[in-house]
């Protein structure tokens, strides 16, 4: 064998570094900085995990290139060409072919509906393979190695500059405060007065109305409530809908959302009224914005230190997240992971002895069944409780047993969470706190089918559930009102409930009234683009949802 120059290994090392940098450093950093609010962990945790994966990958790929180099120069050059093909196509895949990706919101993905992705993949890798084959044929061996090395190194340098810029401009390096939602007093009521808003995510009024037809026993279980069937919500998705429920202030993409949230807490008519009347406020929502000043408004919110329980376990969902965006179409199918994959790795500071609240309906029901509801001698209490409700994935059968999400349906999930709400009402009755409790059971928005079933129309979620019971309110059976109610009416309704009004007197609108009700439609895949609709007819009727032509876009 001819003695080989070890300098020939340099292109292989550069390609190994380039591939590892793209997949294990640039991709995670880019995804993190673009979606900071979606992750609980700090940038430091991410970069430590990414650096570890980068080093491991570089060593493994470097070793592979050394072995190929030792076996035969031709194999080594084929390896270089293959590595460059993977680098180039992966970069293009993850940065330019991402517009039509399905959402990772827990929805079961019908991959047959995404044939465009498969076609794009085949075209990309076909063209990439052709370019690399031509390079291999027409470039001399040293020129091929140098070309691959310089192009890979240049791409890596460009990505490095981009990543550093994104990190410093996105706020990723800012210290992140973490808050624990304490659940110790979740089922402890006041013997004075209790005002509770129970939000069951994504429960559509149309589905509940159909359930009433087949399950008349619900009318008995919620007999002291008025069900406002003809209700129009405010927004399509939770992140905008819940703050509106609490504040009555529209967000129109005209300011940073965090600024809106700070103002929402401080200026909410509901919170202001509760504070003026001396209510102790408890807040049970894992998703909304929180800071030190706001946390002091609520007796069950504590600032804590979050730690990562395992870097090894953290690597798996991180790699799946990267793979879902950067991997070829067929491999994307292997990169689906559950929404709670990162949250399950939270380790709260050992100094905290507080039980954490969980938005999972089956956990809520289990804890309720174990402890029941107790009453203590205290001042008036307010609770805002937000549960996952009928949100995807559909993991419940009609009795709230956990099942394979592929076998679950939306209707089963709605029935399960309604039974959970009925159980909560029954426990209130048993506790003795029922009569001195005003209770609203509602949804943040409705449901209009999954993306694969109804496409863009899936975001027309204008019909949320709304049931109301006042203090000391009793009926022979549940009342059903067809009054044209809007979420715009909620703030006044809260005050009237606190004043002791019954559910049939909290809204001025009555059956037979005609009005236009505003609704802002948007997708959580594109929150910076909202379209205004006016419901000119019955809440359920999509044909009377009129597009006004007004859009609220954020640059």
């Amino acid at each position: 064998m001819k003695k080989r120059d070890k300098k020939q290994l340099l292109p292989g090392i550069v390609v190994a570094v380039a591939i590892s940098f793209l997949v294990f450093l640039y991709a995670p950093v880019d995804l993190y900085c673009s979606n900071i609010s979606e992750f609980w962990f700090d940038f430091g945790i991410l970069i430590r995990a990414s650096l570890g994966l980068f080093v491991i990958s570089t060593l493994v790929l470097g070793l592979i290139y050394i072995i190929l180099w030792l076996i035969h120069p031709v194999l080594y050059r084929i390896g270089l060409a293959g590595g460059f093909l993977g680098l180039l196509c992966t970069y293009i895949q993850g940065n330019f072919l991402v517009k039509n990706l399905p959402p990772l919101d827990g929805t079961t993905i019908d991959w047959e509906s995404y044939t465009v992705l498969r076609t794009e993949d085949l075209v990309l890798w076909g063209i990439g393979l052709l370019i690399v084959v031509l390079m291999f044929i027409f470039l001399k061996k040293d020129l091929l190695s140098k070309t691959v090395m310089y192009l890979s190194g240049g791409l890596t340098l460009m990505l490095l500059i981009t990543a550093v810029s994104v990190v410093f401009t996105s706020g990723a390096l800012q210290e992140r405060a973490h808050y624990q939602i304490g659940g110790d007093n979740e089922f402890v009521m006041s013997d004075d007065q209790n005002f509770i808003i129970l939000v069951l995510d994504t429960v559509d009024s149309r589905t509940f109305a159909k359930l009433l037809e087949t399950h008349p026993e619900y009318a008995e279980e919620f007999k002291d409530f008025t069900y406002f069937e003809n209700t129009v919500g405010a927004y399509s998705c939770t992140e905008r809908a819940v703050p509106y429920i609490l504040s009555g202030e529209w967000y129109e993409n005209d300011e940073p959302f965090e600024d809106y949230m700070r103002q929402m807490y401080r200026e909410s008519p509901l919170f202001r009224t509760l504070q003026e009347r001396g209510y102790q406020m408890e807040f049970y929502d894992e998703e909304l914005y929180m800071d030190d000043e706001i946390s002091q408004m609520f007796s069950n919110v504590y600032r804590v230190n979050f730690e990562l329980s395992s870097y090894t376990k953290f690597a798996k969902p991180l790699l799946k997240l990267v793979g879902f965006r950067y991997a070829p179409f067929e491999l994307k199918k292997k990169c689906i992971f559950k929404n709670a994959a990162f949250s399950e790795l939270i380790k709260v500071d050992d100094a905290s002895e507080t039980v954490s609240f969980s938005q999972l309906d089956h956990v809520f029901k289990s804890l309720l069944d174990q402890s029941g509801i107790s009453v203590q001698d205290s001042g008036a209490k307010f609770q805002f409780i937000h549960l996952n409700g009928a949100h995807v994935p559909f993991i419940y059968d009609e009795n709230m047993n956990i099942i394979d999400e592929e076998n679950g349906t939306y209707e089963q999930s709605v029935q399960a969470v309604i039974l959970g709400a009925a159980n909560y009402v029954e426990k209130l009755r048993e506790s003795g706190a029922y009569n001195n409790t005003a209770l609203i059971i509602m949804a943040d928005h409705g449901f209009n089918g999954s993306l694969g079933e109804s496409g863009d129309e899936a975001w027309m979620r204008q019909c949320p559930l709304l049931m109301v019971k006042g203090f000391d309110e009793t009926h022979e059976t549940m009342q059903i009102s067809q009054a044209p109610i809007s979420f715009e009416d909620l703030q006044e309704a809260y005050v009237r409930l606190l004043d002791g009004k019954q559910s049939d007197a909290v809204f001025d609108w009555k059956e037979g009234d005609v009005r236009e009700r505003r609704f802002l439609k948007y997708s959580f895949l594109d929150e910076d683009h909202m379209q205004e609709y006016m419901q000119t007819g019955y809440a359920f009727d999509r044909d009377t949802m009129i597009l006004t032509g007004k859009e609220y876009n954020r640059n």
Side-chain angles (χ1 to χ4, degrees), residues 12-242:
I13 301 303
V14 171
V15 172
V17 170
I19 294 173
S20 301
F21 180 84
L22 170 64
V23 176
F24 299 113
L25 276 176
Y26 175 78
V29 167
D30 179 50
L31 285 166
Y32 180 84
C33 292
S34 300
N35 305 277
I36 294 176
S37 62
E38 300 292 327
F39 303 110
W40 67 263
F41 47 87
D42 295 325
F43 183 75
I45 289 177
L46 174 80
I47 201 64
R48 284 191 289 273
S50 296
L51 281 172
L53 293 169
F54 166 74
V55 171
I56 294 171
S57 174
T58 301
L59 291 175
V60 171
L61 291 176
L63 180 60
I64 290 173
Y65 277 117
I66 290 173
I67 293 173
L68 293 176
W69 177 74
L70 290 172
I71 294 175
H72 199 281
V74 174
L75 279 179
Y76 178 62
R77 290 197 298 276
I78 292 175
L80 288 176
F84 180 69
L85 171 64
L87 175 68
L88 180 64
C89 291
T90 300
Y91 167 71
I92 295 174
Q93 184 105 46
N95 289 275
F96 301 102
L97 302 182
V98 295
K99 185 176 181 180
N100 297 316
L101 286 176
L104 276 176
D105 65 341
T107 305
T108 300
I109 299 174
D110 178 12
W111 289 102
E112 297 303 317
S113 301
Y114 293 91
T115 54
V116 172
L117 292 177
R118 182 187 288 111
T119 302
E120 290 176 344
D121 269 18
L122 292 174
V123 172
L124 170 64
W125 287 86
I127 293 175
L129 179 61
L130 177 62
I131 292 172
V132 169
V133 169
L134 292 175
M135 288 173 60
F136 190 86
I137 293 173
F138 291 104
L139 296 179
K140 295 181 180 180
K141 57 183 181 180
D142 290 338
L143 184 56
L144 173 67
S145 298
K146 290 180 179 179
T147 300
V148 168
M149 180 177 68
Y150 288 132
L151 290 176
S152 300
L155 178 60
T156 302
L157 180 60
M158 180 190 73
L159 293 177
L160 176 60
I161 295 172
T162 302
V164 171
S165 174
V166 168
V167 168
F168 280 100
T169 57
S170 66
L173 297 179
Q174 294 178 3
E175 180 183 2
R176 299 187 66 184
H178 301 294
Y179 300 90
Q180 182 180 12
I181 310 299
D184 294 312
N185 295 313
E186 184 178 7
F187 302 119
V188 178
M189 298 293 115
S190 167
D191 65 351
D192 183 7
Q193 284 189 329
N194 303 284
F195 180 36
I196 302 171
I197 300 176
L198 176 62
V199 176
L200 307 175
D201 207 302
T202 321
V203 175
D204 195 279
S205 184
R206 289 167 293 189
T207 305
F208 182 67
K210 291 178 181 177
L211 281 177
L212 283 177
E213 295 176 1
T214 56
H215 294 272
E217 66 271 17
Y218 290 167
E220 174 63 24
E221 292 166 346
F222 298 106
K223 66 179 183 179
D224 300 320
F225 288 76
T226 298
Y227 164 42
F228 294 94
E229 184 176 288
N230 183 14
T231 297
V232 171
Y235 293 92
S236 305
C237 301
T238 300
E239 189 171 18
R240 308 297 192 246
V242 171

Side-chain angles (χ1 to χ4, degrees), residues 380-416:
K381 174 182 281 196
F382 166 76
Q383 291 185 329
F384 179 80
I385 305 172
H386 180 195
L387 301 179
N388 284 352
H391 196 285
V392 292
F394 305 135
I395 60 172
Y396 300 126
D397 66 12
E398 60 274 12
N399 296 312
M400 206 180 285
N401 299 308
I402 297 179
I403 59 175
D404 189 328
E405 62 187 76
E406 294 183 357
N407 298 322
T409 67
Y410 174 72
E411 289 74 19
Q412 286 176 332
S413 294
V414 170
Q415 189 170 350

